[in-house]
Amino acid sequence: MMKHHPSDETLFRFASGSLESGPRIVVAVHVGGCTACAARISEFEAVGGALLDGIEPEEMGEDALDRLVARIEVDSDSSGKAAQRSRPTRADVGIRLPEALDGCGIGPWRWIGPGVRWSRVTIPEDASANVMLLKVAAGRRLPEHTHSGCEYTQVLKGSFSDARGRYGPGDLDEADDEIQHQPVVDETGECICLAALEGRMRLRGFFGRLVQPLIGG
Protein backbone atom coordinates (compact mmCIF):
# COMPACT_ATOMS: atom_id res chain seq x y z
CA MET A 1 0.00 0.00 0.00
CA MET A 2 1.35 3.41 -1.00
CA LYS A 3 2.04 5.79 1.88
CA HIS A 4 3.94 8.64 0.22
CA HIS A 5 2.50 10.87 -2.52
CA PRO A 6 3.30 14.14 -4.32
CA SER A 7 2.26 17.30 -2.50
CA ASP A 8 -0.90 19.13 -3.59
CA GLU A 9 1.33 21.90 -4.94
CA THR A 10 3.15 19.40 -7.17
CA LEU A 11 -0.09 17.81 -8.34
CA PHE A 12 -1.50 21.25 -9.13
CA ARG A 13 1.63 22.12 -11.13
CA PHE A 14 1.27 18.79 -12.95
CA ALA A 15 -2.38 19.48 -13.76
CA SER A 16 -1.65 23.02 -14.96
CA GLY A 17 1.35 21.96 -17.09
CA SER A 18 3.81 24.11 -15.13
CA LEU A 19 5.86 21.25 -13.68
CA GLU A 20 9.26 20.82 -15.33
CA SER A 21 9.55 17.91 -17.76
CA GLY A 22 11.83 15.79 -15.55
CA PRO A 23 9.69 15.88 -12.40
CA ARG A 24 6.60 15.68 -14.61
CA ILE A 25 7.51 12.25 -15.93
CA VAL A 26 8.24 10.95 -12.42
CA VAL A 27 4.87 12.24 -11.19
CA ALA A 28 3.21 10.73 -14.28
CA VAL A 29 4.60 7.32 -13.30
CA HIS A 30 3.20 7.72 -9.78
CA VAL A 31 -0.20 8.94 -10.98
CA GLY A 32 -0.41 6.00 -13.38
CA GLY A 33 -0.54 3.67 -10.39
CA CYS A 34 -2.28 5.85 -7.80
CA THR A 35 -6.02 6.39 -8.13
CA ALA A 36 -6.07 8.91 -5.26
CA CYS A 37 -3.55 11.23 -6.95
CA ALA A 38 -5.23 10.76 -10.34
CA ALA A 39 -8.52 11.87 -8.77
CA ARG A 40 -6.82 14.86 -7.16
CA ILE A 41 -5.43 15.95 -10.53
CA SER A 42 -8.91 15.65 -12.06
CA GLU A 43 -10.17 18.01 -9.35
CA PHE A 44 -7.48 20.56 -10.15
CA GLU A 45 -8.19 20.27 -13.88
CA ALA A 46 -11.89 20.85 -13.22
CA VAL A 47 -11.08 24.01 -11.26
CA GLY A 48 -8.87 25.21 -14.11
CA GLY A 49 -11.63 24.51 -16.61
CA ALA A 50 -14.13 26.48 -14.55
CA LEU A 51 -11.75 29.43 -14.44
CA LEU A 52 -11.34 29.31 -18.23
CA ASP A 53 -15.12 29.24 -18.68
CA GLY A 54 -15.32 32.50 -16.77
CA ILE A 55 -12.94 34.33 -19.10
CA GLU A 56 -14.60 36.60 -21.66
CA PRO A 57 -13.84 35.22 -25.16
CA GLU A 58 -12.08 37.41 -27.71
CA GLU A 59 -13.23 37.69 -31.31
CA MET A 60 -11.05 35.72 -33.74
CA GLY A 61 -9.61 37.13 -36.95
CA GLU A 62 -11.14 36.13 -40.29
CA ASP A 63 -8.01 34.15 -41.29
CA ALA A 64 -7.61 32.40 -37.92
CA LEU A 65 -8.88 29.02 -39.14
CA ASP A 66 -6.63 29.04 -42.24
CA ARG A 67 -3.57 29.88 -40.12
CA LEU A 68 -4.42 27.12 -37.63
CA VAL A 69 -4.79 24.47 -40.37
CA ALA A 70 -1.50 25.54 -41.96
CA ARG A 71 0.30 25.30 -38.61
CA ILE A 72 -1.12 21.82 -37.91
CA GLU A 73 0.10 20.60 -41.31
CA VAL A 74 3.61 21.97 -40.71
CA ASP A 75 3.80 20.57 -37.16
CA SER A 76 2.56 17.14 -38.28
CA ASP A 77 5.13 16.97 -41.07
CA SER A 78 7.95 18.04 -38.74
CA SER A 79 6.92 15.55 -36.07
CA GLY A 80 6.84 12.70 -38.57
CA LYS A 81 10.31 13.52 -39.91
CA ALA A 82 11.72 13.87 -36.38
CA ALA A 83 10.30 10.48 -35.38
CA GLN A 84 11.94 8.88 -38.42
CA ARG A 85 15.30 10.53 -37.69
CA SER A 86 15.65 9.56 -34.04
CA ARG A 87 14.34 6.54 -32.21
CA PRO A 88 15.32 6.55 -28.53
CA THR A 89 17.83 3.90 -27.52
CA ARG A 90 16.47 1.67 -24.78
CA ALA A 91 18.83 -0.56 -22.82
CA ASP A 92 17.53 -3.60 -20.95
CA VAL A 93 17.54 -2.61 -17.27
CA GLY A 94 16.09 -5.87 -16.02
CA ILE A 95 12.58 -4.75 -15.05
CA ARG A 96 9.40 -3.81 -16.88
CA LEU A 97 9.29 -0.03 -16.93
CA PRO A 98 6.07 2.01 -16.52
CA GLU A 99 4.18 3.04 -19.67
CA ALA A 100 4.92 6.70 -18.96
CA LEU A 101 8.54 5.99 -19.95
CA ASP A 102 7.67 4.33 -23.28
CA GLY A 103 8.87 7.27 -25.39
CA CYS A 104 12.05 7.88 -23.39
CA GLY A 105 15.60 6.78 -24.05
CA ILE A 106 17.00 4.41 -21.42
CA GLY A 107 20.76 4.18 -21.01
CA PRO A 108 22.72 1.13 -19.81
CA TRP A 109 23.52 0.65 -16.14
CA ARG A 110 26.72 2.43 -15.15
CA TRP A 111 28.80 2.07 -12.00
CA ILE A 112 28.56 4.99 -9.60
CA GLY A 113 29.84 3.36 -6.42
CA PRO A 114 29.95 0.01 -4.60
CA GLY A 115 26.54 -1.60 -5.05
CA VAL A 116 25.13 1.44 -6.85
CA ARG A 117 24.32 1.76 -10.57
CA TRP A 118 22.57 4.48 -12.55
CA SER A 119 20.97 4.74 -15.99
CA ARG A 120 20.32 7.99 -17.82
CA VAL A 121 16.70 8.56 -18.86
CA THR A 122 16.36 10.86 -21.86
CA ILE A 123 13.11 12.74 -22.47
CA PRO A 124 12.77 13.42 -26.23
CA GLU A 125 11.24 16.88 -25.82
CA ASP A 126 13.79 17.99 -23.22
CA ALA A 127 17.22 16.37 -23.52
CA SER A 128 18.58 18.57 -20.70
CA ALA A 129 16.16 17.16 -18.10
CA ASN A 130 18.03 15.54 -15.19
CA VAL A 131 16.27 12.16 -14.95
CA MET A 132 17.77 8.79 -14.06
CA LEU A 133 17.12 5.28 -12.87
CA LEU A 134 19.00 4.24 -9.73
CA LYS A 135 19.69 0.63 -8.74
CA VAL A 136 21.06 0.10 -5.24
CA ALA A 137 22.01 -3.24 -3.67
CA ALA A 138 20.29 -4.58 -0.56
CA GLY A 139 21.47 -2.96 2.65
CA ARG A 140 23.47 -0.31 0.83
CA ARG A 141 23.63 3.19 2.28
CA LEU A 142 23.66 6.06 -0.23
CA PRO A 143 25.85 9.14 0.28
CA GLU A 144 24.33 11.81 2.49
CA HIS A 145 23.04 14.61 0.31
CA THR A 146 20.82 17.62 -0.13
CA HIS A 147 19.66 19.48 -3.28
CA SER A 148 19.71 22.86 -4.95
CA GLY A 149 16.04 22.28 -5.85
CA CYS A 150 13.42 19.55 -5.39
CA GLU A 151 14.22 15.86 -5.87
CA TYR A 152 11.39 13.54 -6.94
CA THR A 153 12.01 9.82 -6.42
CA GLN A 154 9.51 7.13 -7.43
CA VAL A 155 10.17 3.62 -6.09
CA LEU A 156 9.77 1.00 -8.85
CA LYS A 157 11.14 -2.03 -7.01
CA GLY A 158 12.26 -2.77 -3.45
CA SER A 159 12.31 -0.18 -0.68
CA PHE A 160 14.50 2.28 1.21
CA SER A 161 14.31 4.27 4.43
CA ASP A 162 15.65 7.52 5.81
CA ALA A 163 14.96 9.63 8.89
CA ARG A 164 11.52 10.57 7.52
CA GLY A 165 10.17 7.06 6.95
CA ARG A 166 10.13 4.00 4.71
CA TYR A 167 9.40 4.13 0.97
CA GLY A 168 8.16 1.05 -0.88
CA PRO A 169 6.95 0.23 -4.43
CA GLY A 170 4.70 2.99 -5.77
CA ASP A 171 5.75 5.57 -3.17
CA LEU A 172 7.02 8.97 -4.27
CA ASP A 173 9.54 10.85 -2.15
CA GLU A 174 9.51 14.62 -2.66
CA ALA A 175 12.54 16.24 -1.01
CA ASP A 176 13.18 19.99 -1.21
CA ASP A 177 16.41 21.93 -0.65
CA GLU A 178 15.84 22.07 3.12
CA ILE A 179 16.07 18.28 3.49
CA GLN A 180 19.40 16.55 3.99
CA HIS A 181 19.06 12.78 4.03
CA GLN A 182 20.88 9.48 3.61
CA PRO A 183 18.64 6.76 2.16
CA VAL A 184 19.35 3.17 3.18
CA VAL A 185 18.03 0.27 1.09
CA ASP A 186 16.25 -2.49 2.99
CA GLU A 187 18.09 -5.77 3.56
CA THR A 188 15.37 -7.75 1.75
CA GLY A 189 16.55 -6.90 -1.76
CA GLU A 190 17.81 -4.32 -4.23
CA CYS A 191 15.93 -1.09 -4.84
CA ILE A 192 15.29 0.52 -8.23
CA CYS A 193 13.96 4.07 -8.39
CA LEU A 194 13.18 6.69 -11.01
CA ALA A 195 14.47 10.09 -9.94
CA ALA A 196 14.36 13.64 -11.32
CA LEU A 197 15.88 16.84 -10.03
CA GLU A 198 14.85 20.45 -10.27
CA GLY A 199 18.36 21.80 -9.84
CA ARG A 200 21.26 19.58 -8.76
CA MET A 201 22.09 17.04 -6.08
CA ARG A 202 24.72 18.07 -3.55
CA LEU A 203 26.58 15.09 -2.13
CA ARG A 204 28.39 15.15 1.21
CA GLY A 205 31.65 13.53 2.33
CA PHE A 206 34.66 12.14 0.45
CA PHE A 207 32.74 9.51 -1.53
CA GLY A 208 30.09 12.07 -2.43
CA ARG A 209 32.68 14.46 -3.82
CA LEU A 210 34.27 11.56 -5.71
CA VAL A 211 31.10 10.56 -7.61
CA GLN A 212 29.55 14.04 -7.99
CA PRO A 213 31.08 14.60 -11.49
CA LEU A 214 29.49 11.33 -12.68
CA ILE A 215 25.92 12.43 -11.92
CA GLY A 216 26.28 16.16 -12.52
CA GLY A 217 26.22 19.11 -10.16
Side-chain angles (χ1 to χ4, degrees):
M1 180 179 178
M2 285 179 278
K3 297 182 179 179
H4 302 277
H5 307 268
S7 64
D8 270 356
E9 178 184 355
T10 294
L11 292 176
F12 178 80
R13 291 174 63 197
F14 181 91
S16 64
S18 62
L19 193 63
E20 291 184 10
S21 56
R24 182 175 182 82
I25 198 136
V26 177
V27 174
V29 170
H30 178 85
V31 171
C34 179
T35 55
C37 288
R40 192 67 173 146
I41 286 174
S42 295
E43 292 175 7
F44 288 135
E45 290 175 340
V47 170
L51 291 174
L52 287 175
D53 287 341
I55 297 176
E56 190 70 26
E58 293 187 9
E59 187 175 346
M60 298 177 63
E62 293 182 359
D63 63 340
L65 180 59
D66 292 337
R67 288 189 287 110
L68 177 61
V69 171
R71 182 173 179 179
I72 290 174
E73 290 175 349
V74 171
D75 288 346
S76 298
D77 184 57
S78 299
S79 298
K81 290 179 179 178
Q84 293 175 1
R85 283 197 304 268
S86 59
R87 302 263 181 203
T89 300
R90 295 179 64 86
D92 182 6
V93 293
I95 65 169
R96 182 179 178 85
L97 295 174
E99 290 184 6
L101 298 178
D102 282 354
C104 297
I106 307 295
W109 288 120
R110 300 183 183 278
W111 184 91
I112 192 177
V116 185
R117 300 288 187 273
W118 77 294
S119 164
R120 173 68 69 187
V121 176
T122 305
I123 302 176
E125 65 271 20
D126 186 3
S128 65
N130 198 357
V131 186
M132 68 188 77
L133 291 166
L134 286 172
K135 180 168 67 171
V136 187
R140 182 63 59 182
R141 185 183 299 270
L142 289 175
E144 187 177 5
H145 64 278
T146 184
H147 326 89
S148 61
C150 275
E151 175 191 67
Y152 302 81
T153 303
Q154 174 75 13
V155 181
L156 303 179
K157 175 186 176 183
S159 55
F160 71 87
S161 302
D162 64 13
R164 297 166 299 143
R166 181 177 180 275
Y167 298 80
D171 282 336
L172 187 144
D173 177 20
E174 186 175 326
D176 62 22
D177 55 5
E178 295 182 356
I179 292 176
Q180 181 172 318
H181 63 153
Q182 187 171 28
V184 181
V185 173
D186 288 357
E187 296 283 354
T188 52
E190 70 179 10
C191 182
I192 298 179
C193 298
L194 174 69
L197 300 176
E198 285 182 328
R200 295 292 176 180
M201 182 185 295
R202 295 172 177 169
L203 299 175
R204 305 291 188 186
F206 172 77
F207 176 70
R209 292 193 295 272
L210 182 67
V211 303
Q212 184 78 69
L214 300 176
I215 63 174

